[in-house]
Amino acid sequence: VQLAESGGGSVQAGGSVKLSCAISGYSLSRCGMGWYRQAPGKEREFVTSLSTGGTTRYADSVKGRFTISQDNAKNTVFLQMNSLKTEDSAVYYCAALGWSRYGSCNVQQFWGQGTQVTVSS
């Protein structure tokens, strides 16, 4: 599986950005897709995920502002980010997810190269 993010850039606080993640290849064990982000000096953190069954999860910090979606025909996952804050500035990564031993769809199997989002005040 190969993942390629696009759509990052610079935006002012309160603005919107839509990220895309193009998926190529196939993994039998893939159960969903996720978005993660990493700000300078911080660990990579979970942002949102979408299972193949349609279940979505969001980090508390982005609930109500970010939306994950998928276009199956185009093998692309999207992250719509609205009402952006300066603390949303980070490199955003998409990941293909697999099942954990506990039955949760949250094991990152494959990563994209990341795309930078910078939010200025």
Side-chain angles (χ1 to χ4, degrees):
V1 175
Q2 291 185 323
L3 308 174
E5 302 96 335
S6 61
S10 298
V11 63
Q12 288 193 323
S16 298
V17 170
K18 187 173 185 177
L19 304 182
S20 300
C21 174
I23 308 165
S24 60
Y26 177 77
S27 171
L28 186 63
S29 60
R30 181 165 68 92
C31 59
M33 295 295 298
W35 286 96
Y36 296 75
R37 65 187 181 186
Q38 187 167 19
K42 295 187 176 181
E43 293 187 352
R44 192 172 299 187
E45 64 176 4
F46 169 80
V47 176
T48 180
S49 65
L50 172 63
S51 75
T52 52
T55 301
T56 56
R57 293 172 56 233
Y58 293 93
D60 288 343
S61 59
V62 306
K63 278 181 183 177
R65 300 188 299 122
F66 289 13
T67 303
I68 187 171
S69 62
Q70 182 164 350
D71 184 333
N72 291 324
K74 296 182 179 179
N75 278 343
T76 303
V77 176
F78 303 100
L79 179 61
Q80 177 68 49
M81 304 187 292
N82 299 325
S83 302
L84 283 162
K85 306 176 181 179
T86 55
E87 52 263 42
D88 294 319
S89 295
V91 177
Y92 283 74
Y93 299 89
C94 67
L97 304 177
W99 295 106
S100 74
R101 67 179 71 181
Y102 306 108
S104 298
C105 181
N106 59 8
V107 175
Q108 303 97 45
Q109 296 180 324
F110 303 95
W111 292 98
Q113 82 286 353
T115 185
Q116 176 73 48
V117 174
T118 303
V119 184
S120 58
S121 59

